[in-house]
Amino acid sequence: MAVGKEIKTKITSVKSTQKITRAMEMVAASKMRKTQERVLAARPYAKKMGQVIRHLAQANSEYKHPYLSERKNERVGVILISSDRGLCGGLNSNLFRKFVAQLKQWHEADTEIVMASIGSKGEGFLGRLGGNVVGSVTHLGETPALEDLIGIVKTMLDLYDEGKIDRFYIAHNDYVNTMTQKPQVVQVLPVYTEELEEQLTHHWDYIYEPDAKEVLDQLLTRYIESLVYQGVLENNACEQAARMVAMKSASDNAGELIDELQLVYNKARQASITQELSEIVAGAAAV
Amino acid sequence: MSMTIHVDIVSAEEEIYSGLAEMVFAPGILGELGIAPRHAPLVSQLKAGEVRVKTDKEELDFFISGGILEVQPHLVTVLSDTAIRAADLDEAKALEAKKRAEEALADKASDIDYAKAQAELAEAAAQLNAISRLRKLR
């Protein structure tokens, strides 16, 4: 039957789109679970490291590390952590909006800004944004290795050591739950030590091997790296969650669309049958 | 019961071991370290090698590629590196990240174009709004 051929084709095409979005939804759901586990697996390291640094801050060290002391804030460095792929709802653009608002604030306070990006979307955005971009890493995949982040973190730490930036931030999405991802810009350097300095009850110090400076250097570098790494993992979990939700609503919408089209198709079919019948009846009456 | 000390071995990517031990051996940068309970507080860099944990039943081996060891009288923490680290290797990685940025942003402007960025973001926001409105209408 020729009736509604276009509608039938349309239904088929929407159906195949729905198949794709549904598959993506399920893939994202299973990946989300894995990324969440990875976030949890990385937590003990950061926690332990926080403890050691707290111990060190309490210990009566003769060496004060530059990463632990505030200085005048004239230049900031910031790493923008984003996803590599799209189709994850407003995840990246929400983060970018927050990021630009923060940049504007710094700009108004006459602060120089140095930027770097992790993830293709962020790289593209910084490219269009302009400004001083010093580093970029992309395609970390679903199992990002800390190793891939060493370079970009070192770039920022070197700038800090040379006094070219006074503060170091990371911008990423924080995983609240499946429905909520919160974009945020957090300070990494100098390490926030306010809560560390409360309980100085007894004075003691570690034995350092080889010496305080080298151990602290290594420890703090690792600490910063692990903070950035955590940011990447969190953002990864957010990406999968956001994609799952976006694909779910896409599948639902496709379902609705198919229902509507089916209705239109049925109506057209019925109309054509009615017409045919009345033509036959009219023909018979004429004979 | 003999005296024990709590041991945590963690890397940035996962927790490797957590439990009690009678003695811990670690490859310190100045030489092999043996840590018994009530050791004096110590922080040391570790080089690549084996961390051995002696519990009351068995002896466990963990290979690490470097890291940091912290010792409190009743607590040993090994913060293991996940990658092989060396100053020049790190430097090469930093240069790589830099190069990548330069390549990707060959034609970028030197000043931040706030107006353009905001226009772009406003467009994205408008799209999202439109989608959610469409969804409500239906």
CSV table of all heavy atoms in Angstrom, one decimal, chain A residues 67-105:
chain,number,residue,atom,x,y,z
A,67,TYR,N,55.1,25.7,48.8
A,67,TYR,CA,53.7,25.3,48.4
A,67,TYR,C,52.8,25.5,49.6
A,67,TYR,O,51.6,25.4,49.4
A,67,TYR,CB,53.7,23.8,48.0
A,67,TYR,CG,54.4,23.5,46.7
A,67,TYR,CD1,54.5,22.2,46.3
A,67,TYR,CD2,54.9,24.5,45.9
A,67,TYR,CE1,55.1,21.9,45.0
A,67,TYR,CE2,55.5,24.2,44.7
A,67,TYR,CZ,55.6,22.9,44.3
A,67,TYR,OH,56.1,22.6,43.1
A,68,LEU,N,53.4,25.6,50.8
A,68,LEU,CA,52.5,25.7,52.0
A,68,LEU,C,52.3,27.2,52.5
A,68,LEU,O,51.6,27.4,53.4
A,68,LEU,CB,53.1,24.9,53.1
A,68,LEU,CG,53.2,23.4,52.9
A,68,LEU,CD1,54.0,22.7,54.0
A,68,LEU,CD2,51.8,22.8,52.8
A,69,SER,N,53.0,28.1,51.8
A,69,SER,CA,52.9,29.5,52.3
A,69,SER,C,52.2,30.4,51.2
A,69,SER,O,52.5,30.3,50.0
A,69,SER,CB,54.2,30.1,52.7
A,69,SER,OG,55.2,29.7,51.7
A,70,GLU,N,51.3,31.2,51.7
A,70,GLU,CA,50.6,32.2,50.9
A,70,GLU,C,51.5,33.2,50.3
A,70,GLU,O,52.5,33.6,51.0
A,70,GLU,CB,49.5,32.9,51.7
A,70,GLU,CG,48.3,32.0,52.1
A,70,GLU,CD,47.3,31.9,51.0
A,70,GLU,OE1,47.3,32.8,50.1
A,70,GLU,OE2,46.6,30.9,51.0
A,71,ARG,N,51.3,33.7,49.2
A,71,ARG,CA,51.9,34.9,48.7
A,71,ARG,C,50.9,35.8,48.0
A,71,ARG,O,49.8,35.5,47.8
A,71,ARG,CB,53.1,34.6,47.9
A,71,ARG,CG,52.9,33.7,46.7
A,71,ARG,CD,54.2,33.2,46.2
A,71,ARG,NE,54.1,32.5,44.9
A,71,ARG,CZ,55.0,31.6,44.5
A,71,ARG,NH1,56.1,31.4,45.1
A,71,ARG,NH2,54.8,31.0,43.3
A,72,LYS,N,51.4,37.0,47.6
A,72,LYS,CA,50.5,38.0,47.0
A,72,LYS,C,49.9,37.4,45.7
A,72,LYS,O,50.6,36.9,44.9
A,72,LYS,CB,51.2,39.3,46.7
A,72,LYS,CG,50.4,40.5,47.2
A,72,LYS,CD,51.2,41.8,47.1
A,72,LYS,CE,51.1,42.5,45.8
A,72,LYS,NZ,52.1,43.5,45.6
A,73,ASN,N,48.6,37.6,45.6
A,73,ASN,CA,48.0,37.0,44.4
A,73,ASN,C,47.9,37.9,43.2
A,73,ASN,O,47.0,38.7,43.1
A,73,ASN,CB,46.6,36.5,44.9
A,73,ASN,CG,45.9,35.7,43.8
A,73,ASN,OD1,46.6,35.1,42.9
A,73,ASN,ND2,44.6,35.7,43.8
A,74,GLU,N,48.9,37.8,42.3
A,74,GLU,CA,48.9,38.6,41.1
A,74,GLU,C,48.7,37.9,39.9
A,74,GLU,O,48.2,38.4,38.9
A,74,GLU,CB,50.2,39.4,41.1
A,74,GLU,CG,50.2,40.6,42.1
A,74,GLU,CD,51.5,41.2,42.2
A,74,GLU,OE1,52.5,40.6,41.7
A,74,GLU,OE2,51.6,42.4,42.6
A,75,ARG,N,49.1,36.6,39.9
A,75,ARG,CA,48.9,35.8,38.7
A,75,ARG,C,48.4,34.4,39.1
A,75,ARG,O,48.8,33.9,40.1
A,75,ARG,CB,50.3,35.6,38.0
A,75,ARG,CG,50.7,36.8,37.2
A,75,ARG,CD,52.2,36.9,37.2
A,75,ARG,NE,52.7,37.0,38.5
A,75,ARG,CZ,53.9,37.5,38.8
A,75,ARG,NH1,54.7,37.8,37.8
A,75,ARG,NH2,54.4,37.5,40.0
A,76,VAL,N,47.5,33.9,38.4
A,76,VAL,CA,46.9,32.6,38.7
A,76,VAL,C,47.1,31.6,37.6
A,76,VAL,O,47.2,32.0,36.4
A,76,VAL,CB,45.4,32.6,39.1
A,76,VAL,CG1,45.2,33.4,40.3
A,76,VAL,CG2,44.6,33.1,37.9
A,77,GLY,N,47.3,30.3,37.9
A,77,GLY,CA,47.3,29.3,36.9
A,77,GLY,C,46.1,28.4,37.1
A,77,GLY,O,45.7,28.2,38.2
A,78,VAL,N,45.5,28.0,36.0
A,78,VAL,CA,44.3,27.1,36.2
A,78,VAL,C,44.2,26.0,35.1
A,78,VAL,O,44.6,26.3,34.0
A,78,VAL,CB,43.0,28.0,36.2
A,78,VAL,CG1,42.9,28.8,35.0
A,78,VAL,CG2,41.8,27.1,36.4
A,79,ILE,N,43.9,24.8,35.6
A,79,ILE,CA,43.8,23.7,34.7
A,79,ILE,C,42.3,23.4,34.5
A,79,ILE,O,41.6,23.2,35.5
A,79,ILE,CB,44.5,22.4,35.1
A,79,ILE,CG1,46.0,22.7,35.1
A,79,ILE,CG2,44.2,21.3,34.2
A,79,ILE,CD1,46.8,21.4,35.5
A,80,LEU,N,41.8,23.4,33.3
A,80,LEU,CA,40.4,23.2,33.0
A,80,LEU,C,40.2,21.7,32.6
A,80,LEU,O,40.8,21.2,31.6
A,80,LEU,CB,39.9,24.0,31.9
A,80,LEU,CG,38.5,23.8,31.3
A,80,LEU,CD1,37.5,24.2,32.4
A,80,LEU,CD2,38.3,24.7,30.1
A,81,ILE,N,39.5,20.9,33.5
A,81,ILE,CA,39.3,19.5,33.2
A,81,ILE,C,38.0,19.3,32.6
A,81,ILE,O,37.0,19.6,33.2
A,81,ILE,CB,39.5,18.7,34.5
A,81,ILE,CG1,40.8,18.9,35.2
A,81,ILE,CG2,39.2,17.2,34.3
A,81,ILE,CD1,41.0,18.3,36.5
A,82,SER,N,38.0,18.7,31.4
A,82,SER,CA,36.7,18.5,30.7
A,82,SER,C,36.7,17.1,30.1
A,82,SER,O,37.6,16.4,30.2
A,82,SER,CB,36.5,19.5,29.6
A,82,SER,OG,37.5,19.3,28.6
A,83,SER,N,35.6,16.8,29.4
A,83,SER,CA,35.5,15.4,28.9
A,83,SER,C,36.1,15.4,27.5
A,83,SER,O,36.3,16.5,26.9
A,83,SER,CB,34.0,15.0,28.8
A,83,SER,OG,33.4,15.7,27.8
A,84,ASP,N,36.4,14.3,26.9
A,84,ASP,CA,36.9,14.1,25.6
A,84,ASP,C,35.8,14.1,24.6
A,84,ASP,O,36.0,14.5,23.4
A,84,ASP,CB,37.8,12.9,25.5
A,84,ASP,CG,39.2,13.1,25.8
A,84,ASP,OD1,39.7,14.2,25.6
A,84,ASP,OD2,39.8,12.2,26.3
A,85,ARG,N,34.7,13.6,25.0
A,85,ARG,CA,33.6,13.5,24.0
A,85,ARG,C,32.4,14.3,24.4
A,85,ARG,O,32.2,14.6,25.6
A,85,ARG,CB,33.2,12.0,23.9
A,85,ARG,CG,34.3,11.2,23.2
A,85,ARG,CD,33.9,9.8,23.1
A,85,ARG,NE,35.0,9.0,23.1
A,85,ARG,CZ,35.0,7.7,23.5
A,85,ARG,NH1,33.9,7.1,23.9
A,85,ARG,NH2,36.1,7.0,23.4
A,86,GLY,N,31.5,14.5,23.4
A,86,GLY,CA,30.3,15.2,23.7
A,86,GLY,C,29.1,14.3,24.0
A,86,GLY,O,29.3,13.2,24.6
A,87,LEU,N,27.9,14.7,23.6
A,87,LEU,CA,26.7,13.9,23.9
A,87,LEU,C,26.6,13.6,25.4
A,87,LEU,O,26.3,12.5,25.8
A,87,LEU,CB,26.7,12.6,23.1
A,87,LEU,CG,26.4,12.7,21.6
A,87,LEU,CD1,26.4,11.3,21.0
A,87,LEU,CD2,25.1,13.4,21.3
A,88,CYS,N,26.9,14.6,26.2
A,88,CYS,CA,26.7,14.4,27.6
A,88,CYS,C,25.9,15.6,28.2
A,88,CYS,O,26.2,16.1,29.3
A,88,CYS,CB,28.0,14.1,28.4
A,88,CYS,SG,29.3,15.3,27.9
A,89,GLY,N,24.9,16.0,27.5
A,89,GLY,CA,24.0,17.1,28.0
A,89,GLY,C,24.8,18.4,28.2
A,89,GLY,O,25.7,18.7,27.5
A,90,GLY,N,24.4,19.1,29.3
A,90,GLY,CA,25.1,20.4,29.5
A,90,GLY,C,26.3,20.4,30.3
A,90,GLY,O,26.7,21.4,30.9
A,91,LEU,N,26.9,19.2,30.5
A,91,LEU,CA,28.0,19.0,31.5
A,91,LEU,C,29.1,20.0,31.2
A,91,LEU,O,29.5,20.7,32.1
A,91,LEU,CB,28.5,17.6,31.4
A,91,LEU,CG,29.6,17.2,32.4
A,91,LEU,CD1,29.0,17.0,33.7
A,91,LEU,CD2,30.3,16.0,31.9
A,92,ASN,N,29.7,20.0,30.0
A,92,ASN,CA,30.8,20.8,29.7
A,92,ASN,C,30.5,22.3,29.7
A,92,ASN,O,31.2,23.1,30.2
A,92,ASN,CB,31.5,20.4,28.4
A,92,ASN,CG,32.3,19.1,28.5
A,92,ASN,OD1,32.9,18.9,29.5
A,92,ASN,ND2,32.2,18.2,27.6
A,93,SER,N,29.3,22.6,29.0
A,93,SER,CA,29.0,24.0,28.9
A,93,SER,C,28.7,24.6,30.3
A,93,SER,O,29.0,25.8,30.5
A,93,SER,CB,27.9,24.3,27.9
A,93,SER,OG,26.8,23.6,28.2
A,94,ASN,N,28.1,23.8,31.2
A,94,ASN,CA,28.0,24.4,32.6
A,94,ASN,C,29.3,24.7,33.2
A,94,ASN,O,29.5,25.7,33.9
A,94,ASN,CB,27.2,23.3,33.4
A,94,ASN,CG,25.7,23.3,33.1
A,94,ASN,OD1,25.2,24.2,32.5
A,94,ASN,ND2,25.1,22.2,33.5
A,95,LEU,N,30.2,23.7,33.0
A,95,LEU,CA,31.6,23.9,33.6
A,95,LEU,C,32.2,25.2,33.0
A,95,LEU,O,32.8,26.0,33.7
A,95,LEU,CB,32.4,22.7,33.4
A,95,LEU,CG,33.9,22.8,33.8
A,95,LEU,CD1,34.0,22.9,35.3
A,95,LEU,CD2,34.7,21.6,33.4
A,96,PHE,N,32.1,25.3,31.7
A,96,PHE,CA,32.8,26.4,31.0
A,96,PHE,C,32.2,27.7,31.5
A,96,PHE,O,32.9,28.7,31.6
A,96,PHE,CB,32.6,26.3,29.5
A,96,PHE,CG,33.4,25.1,28.9
A,96,PHE,CD1,33.1,24.6,27.6
A,96,PHE,CD2,34.3,24.4,29.6
A,96,PHE,CE1,33.8,23.5,27.1
A,96,PHE,CE2,35.0,23.3,29.1
A,96,PHE,CZ,34.7,22.9,27.9
A,97,ARG,N,30.9,27.7,31.7
A,97,ARG,CA,30.2,29.0,32.1
A,97,ARG,C,30.8,29.4,33.5
A,97,ARG,O,31.2,30.5,33.7
A,97,ARG,CB,28.7,28.8,32.2
A,97,ARG,CG,28.0,30.1,32.1
A,97,ARG,CD,26.5,30.0,31.8
A,97,ARG,NE,26.2,28.8,31.1
A,97,ARG,CZ,25.1,28.0,31.5
A,97,ARG,NH1,24.4,28.3,32.5
A,97,ARG,NH2,24.8,27.0,30.7
A,98,LYS,N,30.9,28.4,34.4
A,98,LYS,CA,31.5,28.7,35.7
A,98,LYS,C,32.9,29.2,35.6
A,98,LYS,O,33.3,30.1,36.3
A,98,LYS,CB,31.4,27.4,36.5
A,98,LYS,CG,32.1,27.4,37.9
A,98,LYS,CD,31.1,27.6,39.0
A,98,LYS,CE,31.9,27.8,40.3
A,98,LYS,NZ,31.0,28.1,41.4
A,99,PHE,N,33.6,28.5,34.7
A,99,PHE,CA,35.0,28.8,34.5
A,99,PHE,C,35.2,30.3,34.0
A,99,PHE,O,36.0,31.0,34.5
A,99,PHE,CB,35.6,27.8,33.4
A,99,PHE,CG,37.0,28.0,33.1
A,99,PHE,CD1,38.0,27.7,34.0
A,99,PHE,CD2,37.4,28.4,31.8
A,99,PHE,CE1,39.4,27.9,33.7
A,99,PHE,CE2,38.7,28.5,31.4
A,99,PHE,CZ,39.7,28.3,32.4
A,100,VAL,N,34.4,30.6,33.0
A,100,VAL,CA,34.5,32.0,32.4
A,100,VAL,C,34.1,33.0,33.5
A,100,VAL,O,34.8,34.1,33.6
A,100,VAL,CB,33.6,32.1,31.1
A,100,VAL,CG1,33.5,33.6,30.8
A,100,VAL,CG2,34.2,31.3,30.0
A,101,ALA,N,33.1,32.7,34.3
A,101,ALA,CA,32.7,33.7,35.3
A,101,ALA,C,33.9,33.9,36.3
A,101,ALA,O,34.2,35.0,36.7
A,101,ALA,CB,31.5,33.1,36.1
A,102,GLN,N,34.6,32.8,36.6
A,102,GLN,CA,35.7,32.9,37.5
A,102,GLN,C,36.9,33.7,36.8
A,102,GLN,O,37.5,34.6,37.5
A,102,GLN,CB,36.2,31.5,37.9
A,102,GLN,CG,37.4,31.5,38.8
A,102,GLN,CD,37.0,31.9,40.2
A,102,GLN,OE1,36.0,31.4,40.8
A,102,GLN,NE2,37.6,32.9,40.7
A,103,LEU,N,37.1,33.4,35.6
A,103,LEU,CA,38.1,34.2,34.8
A,103,LEU,C,37.8,35.7,34.8
A,103,LEU,O,38.7,36.5,35.0
A,103,LEU,CB,38.2,33.7,33.4
A,103,LEU,CG,38.8,32.3,33.0
A,103,LEU,CD1,38.9,32.2,31.5
A,103,LEU,CD2,40.1,32.2,33.6
A,104,LYS,N,36.6,36.0,34.7
A,104,LYS,CA,36.2,37.4,34.6
A,104,LYS,C,36.4,38.1,35.9
A,104,LYS,O,36.9,39.2,36.0
A,104,LYS,CB,34.7,37.5,34.2
A,104,LYS,CG,34.5,38.5,33.2
A,104,LYS,CD,33.2,38.6,32.6
A,104,LYS,CE,33.1,39.9,31.8
A,104,LYS,NZ,31.8,40.2,31.4
A,105,GLN,N,36.2,37.3,37.0
A,105,GLN,CA,36.4,37.9,38.3
A,105,GLN,C,37.9,38.2,38.5
A,105,GLN,O,38.3,39.3,39.0
A,105,GLN,CB,36.0,36.8,39.4
A,105,GLN,CG,35.0,37.3,40.4
A,105,GLN,CD,34.7,36.2,41.3
A,105,GLN,OE1,35.5,35.6,41.9
A,105,GLN,NE2,33.4,35.9,41.4
